[in-house]
């Protein structure tokens, strides 16, 4: 990998918020393309953070600071190159289903999908089930991502899928689900299009469902 991109990725892992912008400027001066910085520097760094989190080498507190560092870099690039960075891919609705307020995992998936080029609409946590469907219709989303950490709110995912059918748009909207009590078996049972156990897998799955190589 390009040394400048390696430095940017390492800054994300090291939570080096103070130096992320100087490192981006350094890369730009060396004629590294903004798209490369965005995808192979910033996004790569956050992927590395996700792996550290999955391996229990990083905890939630570290991931949050890494995400803050990522956002500083992403926002800087977007402000510097608005036309390029505002060109978005497929529209995605994401949120934690009604009754659950745990959103760390959702936030990480949102950041990862955003850096992968998806246009994200974050409904937050404890989201009324109708809101997923209404927002998807409003913005013309092609993907809905739902998460929960509670077994008592899992059934909300099935209800959202049923509501998509009632509105006649189920064939137009793919549905991804995740969270600690969720499994591939459960995703199959409720008719979801995919399940991911982690943020890295969620990006790969979202790209596959959206037809992005």
């Amino acid at each position: 990998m390009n040394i400048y991109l390696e430095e940017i990725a390492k800054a994300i892992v090291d939570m080096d918020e103070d130096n992320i912008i100087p490192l981006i400027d350094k890369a730009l001066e060396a004629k590294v393309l903004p798209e490369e910085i965005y995808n192979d520097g910033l996004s790569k760094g956050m992927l590395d953070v996700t792996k550290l989190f999955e391996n229990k080498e990083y905890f939630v507190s570290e991931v949050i600071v890494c995400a803050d560092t990522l956002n500083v870099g992403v926002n800087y690039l977007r402000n510097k190159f608005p036309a390029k960075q505002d060109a978005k891919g497929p529209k995605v609705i994401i949120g934690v289903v009604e009754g659950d307020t745990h959103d760390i995992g959702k936030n990480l998936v949102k950041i990862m999908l955003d850096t992968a080029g998806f246009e994200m609409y974050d409904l937050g946590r404890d989201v009324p089930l109708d809101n997923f469907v209404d927002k998807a219709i409003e913005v013309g989303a092609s993907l809905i991502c739902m998460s929960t950490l509670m077994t008592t709110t899992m059934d909300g995912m099935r209800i959202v899928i049923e509501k998509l059918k009632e509105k006649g748009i189920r064939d137009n909207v793919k549905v991804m689900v995740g969270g600690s009590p969720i499994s591939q078996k459960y995703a199959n049972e409720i008719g979801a299009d995919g399940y991911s156990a982690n943020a890295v897998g969620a990006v790969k799955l979202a790209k596959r469902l959206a037809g992005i190589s």
Side-chain angles (χ1 to χ4, degrees):
M1 184 191 291
N2 181 295
I3 184 64
Y4 298 103
L5 298 177
E6 287 181 1
E7 289 178 347
I8 290 168
K10 185 174 184 298
I12 299 296
V13 175
D14 291 345
M15 299 168 268
D16 192 359
E17 191 170 326
D18 291 337
N19 284 315
I20 192 68
I21 289 176
L23 287 171
I24 289 173
D25 283 336
K26 187 177 173 184
L28 290 171
E29 289 169 7
K31 308 301 182 185
V32 179
L33 296 175
E35 291 84 355
E36 293 177 308
I37 295 172
Y38 193 74
N39 295 319
D40 301 324
L42 297 168
S43 181
K44 169 64 166 56
M46 202 64 204
L47 281 170
D48 291 342
V49 170
T50 303
K51 291 172 185 175
L52 289 168
F53 179 69
E54 291 169 354
N55 293 332
K56 295 182 170 40
E57 296 178 54
Y58 270 21
F59 298 97
V60 170
S61 56
E62 284 93 350
V63 171
I64 290 172
V65 180
C66 290
D68 288 341
T69 306
L70 171 72
N71 284 330
V72 169
V74 168
N75 290 332
Y76 180 68
L77 267 185
R78 283 180 174 160
N79 289 332
K80 201 169 183 68
F81 302 96
K84 287 182 178 292
Q85 298 302 324
D86 284 347
K88 284 290 189 176
K91 296 177 179 179
V92 179
I93 309 300
I94 190 168
V96 180
V97 295
E98 188 170 14
D100 190 352
T101 59
H102 301 90
D103 63 357
I104 293 296
K106 182 270 296 178
N107 290 341
L108 184 54
V109 171
K110 174 200 168 185
I111 291 167
M112 297 296 290
L113 289 177
D114 185 59
T115 58
F118 289 87
E119 184 173 350
M120 302 302 297
Y121 293 85
D122 185 4
L123 302 184
R125 55 190 181 178
D126 192 16
V127 179
L129 304 181
D130 283 328
N131 289 14
F132 286 100
V133 179
D134 293 342
K135 192 66 178 181
I137 293 172
E138 177 190 335
V139 304
S142 58
L143 179 62
I144 291 177
C145 297
M146 295 181 284
S147 69
T148 185
L149 292 187
M150 300 170 61
T151 56
T152 54
T153 56
M154 289 169 56
D155 196 50
M157 296 174 170
R158 178 191 59 77
I159 294 172
V160 169
I161 292 173
E162 291 301 319
K163 288 178 179 292
L164 290 171
K165 292 177 182 177
E166 291 170 8
K167 293 288 186 179
I169 61 169
R170 178 66 183 92
D171 292 340
N172 302 326
V173 182
K174 301 294 185 182
V175 177
M176 284 173 51
V177 295
S180 58
I182 309 302
S183 64
Q184 184 62 59
K185 180 175 181 290
Y186 182 73
N188 294 340
E189 288 175 358
I190 65 174
D193 297 291
Y195 154 79
S196 178
N198 54 59
V200 175
V203 173
K204 294 177 181 177
L205 176 60
K207 286 184 174 182
R208 178 171 64 80
L209 293 176
I212 300 172
S213 60

